[in-house]
PDB file of all heavy atoms in Angstrom:
ATOM      1  N   ASN A  90      31.471  35.879  30.167  1.00  0.00           N
ATOM      2  CA  ASN A  90      30.288  36.424  30.847  1.00  0.00           C
ATOM      3  C   ASN A  90      30.382  37.947  30.800  1.00  0.00           C
ATOM      4  O   ASN A  90      30.855  38.583  31.735  1.00  0.00           O
ATOM      5  CB  ASN A  90      30.206  35.931  32.292  1.00  0.00           C
ATOM      6  CG  ASN A  90      28.976  36.448  33.000  1.00  0.00           C
ATOM      7  OD1 ASN A  90      28.120  37.122  32.398  1.00  0.00           O
ATOM      8  ND2 ASN A  90      28.858  36.161  34.282  1.00  0.00           N
ATOM      9  N   ARG A  91      29.916  38.527  29.713  1.00  0.00           N
ATOM     10  CA  ARG A  91      30.078  39.960  29.508  1.00  0.00           C
ATOM     11  C   ARG A  91      29.153  40.798  30.382  1.00  0.00           C
ATOM     12  O   ARG A  91      29.306  42.017  30.424  1.00  0.00           O
ATOM     13  CB  ARG A  91      29.863  40.306  28.040  1.00  0.00           C
ATOM     14  CG  ARG A  91      30.936  39.722  27.117  1.00  0.00           C
ATOM     15  CD  ARG A  91      30.786  40.291  25.746  1.00  0.00           C
ATOM     16  NE  ARG A  91      31.670  39.688  24.788  1.00  0.00           N
ATOM     17  CZ  ARG A  91      32.637  40.327  24.153  1.00  0.00           C
ATOM     18  NH1 ARG A  91      32.875  41.594  24.433  1.00  0.00           N
ATOM     19  NH2 ARG A  91      33.366  39.728  23.239  1.00  0.00           N
ATOM     20  N   LEU A  92      28.197  40.171  31.030  1.00  0.00           N
ATOM     21  CA  LEU A  92      27.335  40.916  31.948  1.00  0.00           C
ATOM     22  C   LEU A  92      27.814  40.807  33.383  1.00  0.00           C
ATOM     23  O   LEU A  92      27.153  41.305  34.283  1.00  0.00           O
ATOM     24  CB  LEU A  92      25.883  40.439  31.827  1.00  0.00           C
ATOM     25  CG  LEU A  92      25.213  40.739  30.485  1.00  0.00           C
ATOM     26  CD1 LEU A  92      23.745  40.299  30.515  1.00  0.00           C
ATOM     27  CD2 LEU A  92      25.310  42.213  30.131  1.00  0.00           C
ATOM     28  N   ASP A  93      28.950  40.160  33.597  1.00  0.00           N
ATOM     29  CA  ASP A  93      29.569  40.166  34.914  1.00  0.00           C
ATOM     30  C   ASP A  93      30.005  41.594  35.232  1.00  0.00           C
ATOM     31  O   ASP A  93      30.527  42.313  34.375  1.00  0.00           O
ATOM     32  CB  ASP A  93      30.783  39.228  34.910  1.00  0.00           C
ATOM     33  CG  ASP A  93      31.537  39.243  36.221  1.00  0.00           C
ATOM     34  OD1 ASP A  93      31.187  38.467  37.113  1.00  0.00           O
ATOM     35  OD2 ASP A  93      32.482  40.063  36.342  1.00  0.00           O
ATOM     36  N   ALA A  94      29.781  42.020  36.466  1.00  0.00           N
ATOM     37  CA  ALA A  94      30.070  43.411  36.830  1.00  0.00           C
ATOM     38  C   ALA A  94      31.533  43.780  36.607  1.00  0.00           C
ATOM     39  O   ALA A  94      31.846  44.879  36.115  1.00  0.00           O
ATOM     40  CB  ALA A  94      29.685  43.649  38.295  1.00  0.00           C
ATOM     41  N   ASP A  95      32.450  42.874  36.951  1.00  0.00           N
ATOM     42  CA  ASP A  95      33.868  43.163  36.736  1.00  0.00           C
ATOM     43  C   ASP A  95      34.193  43.264  35.244  1.00  0.00           C
ATOM     44  O   ASP A  95      34.911  44.168  34.819  1.00  0.00           O
ATOM     45  CB  ASP A  95      34.740  42.074  37.367  1.00  0.00           C
ATOM     46  CG  ASP A  95      34.784  42.152  38.884  1.00  0.00           C
ATOM     47  OD1 ASP A  95      34.631  43.265  39.422  1.00  0.00           O
ATOM     48  OD2 ASP A  95      34.967  41.103  39.526  1.00  0.00           O
ATOM     49  N   VAL A  96      33.680  42.324  34.464  1.00  0.00           N
ATOM     50  CA  VAL A  96      33.961  42.323  33.022  1.00  0.00           C
ATOM     51  C   VAL A  96      33.432  43.606  32.376  1.00  0.00           C
ATOM     52  O   VAL A  96      34.114  44.230  31.556  1.00  0.00           O
ATOM     53  CB  VAL A  96      33.350  41.074  32.349  1.00  0.00           C
ATOM     54  CG1 VAL A  96      33.535  41.136  30.834  1.00  0.00           C
ATOM     55  CG2 VAL A  96      34.001  39.810  32.901  1.00  0.00           C
ATOM     56  N   LEU A  97      32.237  44.019  32.749  1.00  0.00           N
ATOM     57  CA  LEU A  97      31.687  45.268  32.221  1.00  0.00           C
ATOM     58  C   LEU A  97      32.564  46.453  32.599  1.00  0.00           C
ATOM     59  O   LEU A  97      32.806  47.351  31.783  1.00  0.00           O
ATOM     60  CB  LEU A  97      30.264  45.478  32.740  1.00  0.00           C
ATOM     61  CG  LEU A  97      29.177  44.614  32.098  1.00  0.00           C
ATOM     62  CD1 LEU A  97      27.881  44.731  32.884  1.00  0.00           C
ATOM     63  CD2 LEU A  97      28.947  45.019  30.646  1.00  0.00           C
ATOM     64  N   SER A  98      33.063  46.460  33.827  1.00  0.00           N
ATOM     65  CA  SER A  98      33.929  47.550  34.270  1.00  0.00           C
ATOM     66  C   SER A  98      35.227  47.566  33.471  1.00  0.00           C
ATOM     67  O   SER A  98      35.694  48.631  33.043  1.00  0.00           O
ATOM     68  CB  SER A  98      34.218  47.404  35.764  1.00  0.00           C
ATOM     69  OG  SER A  98      35.125  48.396  36.203  1.00  0.00           O
ATOM     70  N   TRP A  99      35.815  46.397  33.244  1.00  0.00           N
ATOM     71  CA  TRP A  99      37.067  46.338  32.468  1.00  0.00           C
ATOM     72  C   TRP A  99      36.834  46.788  31.031  1.00  0.00           C
ATOM     73  O   TRP A  99      37.656  47.496  30.451  1.00  0.00           O
ATOM     74  CB  TRP A  99      37.618  44.915  32.479  1.00  0.00           C
ATOM     75  CG  TRP A  99      37.909  44.373  33.842  1.00  0.00           C
ATOM     76  CD1 TRP A  99      38.205  45.091  34.969  1.00  0.00           C
ATOM     77  CD2 TRP A  99      37.902  42.997  34.240  1.00  0.00           C
ATOM     78  NE1 TRP A  99      38.385  44.256  36.036  1.00  0.00           N
ATOM     79  CE2 TRP A  99      38.210  42.959  35.630  1.00  0.00           C
ATOM     80  CE3 TRP A  99      37.673  41.792  33.584  1.00  0.00           C
ATOM     81  CZ2 TRP A  99      38.298  41.770  36.343  1.00  0.00           C
ATOM     82  CZ3 TRP A  99      37.754  40.611  34.290  1.00  0.00           C
ATOM     83  CH2 TRP A  99      38.061  40.599  35.657  1.00  0.00           C
ATOM     84  N   MET A 100      35.716  46.377  30.463  1.00  0.00           N
ATOM     85  CA  MET A 100      35.415  46.778  29.089  1.00  0.00           C
ATOM     86  C   MET A 100      35.302  48.295  28.968  1.00  0.00           C
ATOM     87  O   MET A 100      35.656  48.883  27.944  1.00  0.00           O
ATOM     88  CB  MET A 100      34.113  46.117  28.626  1.00  0.00           C
ATOM     89  CG  MET A 100      34.243  44.620  28.379  1.00  0.00           C
ATOM     90  SD  MET A 100      32.644  43.824  28.039  1.00  0.00           S
ATOM     91  CE  MET A 100      32.157  44.675  26.555  1.00  0.00           C
ATOM     92  N   GLY A 101      34.806  48.933  30.040  1.00  0.00           N
ATOM     93  CA  GLY A 101      34.635  50.378  30.013  1.00  0.00           C
ATOM     94  C   GLY A 101      35.944  51.142  29.920  1.00  0.00           C
ATOM     95  O   GLY A 101      35.954  52.310  29.531  1.00  0.00           O
ATOM     96  N   SER A 102      37.057  50.498  30.298  1.00  0.00           N
ATOM     97  CA  SER A 102      38.355  51.169  30.235  1.00  0.00           C
ATOM     98  C   SER A 102      39.094  50.882  28.938  1.00  0.00           C
ATOM     99  O   SER A 102      40.200  51.374  28.728  1.00  0.00           O
ATOM    100  CB  SER A 102      39.229  50.732  31.427  1.00  0.00           C
ATOM    101  OG  SER A 102      39.574  49.364  31.315  1.00  0.00           O
ATOM    102  N   LEU A 103      38.483  50.083  28.054  1.00  0.00           N
ATOM    103  CA  LEU A 103      39.092  49.727  26.779  1.00  0.00           C
ATOM    104  C   LEU A 103      38.294  50.345  25.633  1.00  0.00           C
ATOM    105  O   LEU A 103      37.223  50.907  25.840  1.00  0.00           O
ATOM    106  CB  LEU A 103      39.121  48.200  26.623  1.00  0.00           C
ATOM    107  CG  LEU A 103      39.818  47.413  27.744  1.00  0.00           C
ATOM    108  CD1 LEU A 103      39.585  45.919  27.548  1.00  0.00           C
ATOM    109  CD2 LEU A 103      41.305  47.726  27.780  1.00  0.00           C
ATOM    110  N   ASP A 104      38.826  50.247  24.419  1.00  0.00           N
ATOM    111  CA  ASP A 104      38.064  50.715  23.265  1.00  0.00           C
ATOM    112  C   ASP A 104      36.778  49.898  23.155  1.00  0.00           C
ATOM    113  O   ASP A 104      36.790  48.674  23.356  1.00  0.00           O
ATOM    114  CB  ASP A 104      38.875  50.537  21.980  1.00  0.00           C
ATOM    115  CG  ASP A 104      40.025  51.526  21.878  1.00  0.00           C
ATOM    116  OD1 ASP A 104      39.952  52.572  22.552  1.00  0.00           O
ATOM    117  OD2 ASP A 104      40.988  51.247  21.152  1.00  0.00           O
ATOM    118  N   PRO A 105      35.642  50.539  22.823  1.00  0.00           N
ATOM    119  CA  PRO A 105      34.379  49.799  22.713  1.00  0.00           C
ATOM    120  C   PRO A 105      34.474  48.673  21.684  1.00  0.00           C
ATOM    121  O   PRO A 105      35.112  48.824  20.639  1.00  0.00           O
ATOM    122  CB  PRO A 105      33.383  50.877  22.259  1.00  0.00           C
ATOM    123  CG  PRO A 105      33.992  52.167  22.700  1.00  0.00           C
ATOM    124  CD  PRO A 105      35.474  51.985  22.587  1.00  0.00           C
ATOM    125  N   ASP A 106      33.848  47.563  21.989  1.00  0.00           N
ATOM    126  CA  ASP A 106      33.792  46.413  21.089  1.00  0.00           C
ATOM    127  C   ASP A 106      32.529  46.546  20.236  1.00  0.00           C
ATOM    128  O   ASP A 106      31.417  46.387  20.743  1.00  0.00           O
ATOM    129  CB  ASP A 106      33.745  45.127  21.918  1.00  0.00           C
ATOM    130  CG  ASP A 106      33.611  43.876  21.064  1.00  0.00           C
ATOM    131  OD1 ASP A 106      33.380  43.999  19.842  1.00  0.00           O
ATOM    132  OD2 ASP A 106      33.737  42.771  21.619  1.00  0.00           O
ATOM    133  N   PRO A 107      32.660  46.833  18.923  1.00  0.00           N
ATOM    134  CA  PRO A 107      31.478  47.059  18.092  1.00  0.00           C
ATOM    135  C   PRO A 107      30.511  45.882  18.072  1.00  0.00           C
ATOM    136  O   PRO A 107      29.295  46.078  18.009  1.00  0.00           O
ATOM    137  CB  PRO A 107      32.069  47.314  16.696  1.00  0.00           C
ATOM    138  CG  PRO A 107      33.456  47.787  16.949  1.00  0.00           C
ATOM    139  CD  PRO A 107      33.913  47.029  18.168  1.00  0.00           C
ATOM    140  N   VAL A 108      31.039  44.666  18.117  1.00  0.00           N
ATOM    141  CA  VAL A 108      30.163  43.488  18.092  1.00  0.00           C
ATOM    142  C   VAL A 108      29.309  43.427  19.356  1.00  0.00           C
ATOM    143  O   VAL A 108      28.104  43.168  19.301  1.00  0.00           O
ATOM    144  CB  VAL A 108      30.995  42.202  17.928  1.00  0.00           C
ATOM    145  CG1 VAL A 108      30.087  40.971  17.996  1.00  0.00           C
ATOM    146  CG2 VAL A 108      31.757  42.220  16.612  1.00  0.00           C
TER     147      VAL A 108
END
Side-chain angles (χ1 to χ4, degrees):
N90 182 4
R91 294 189 186 244
L92 294 184
D93 176 88
D95 287 332
V96 175
L97 285 169
S98 176
W99 301 334
M100 288 173 62
S102 67
L103 304 172
D104 288 338
D106 177 351
V108 176

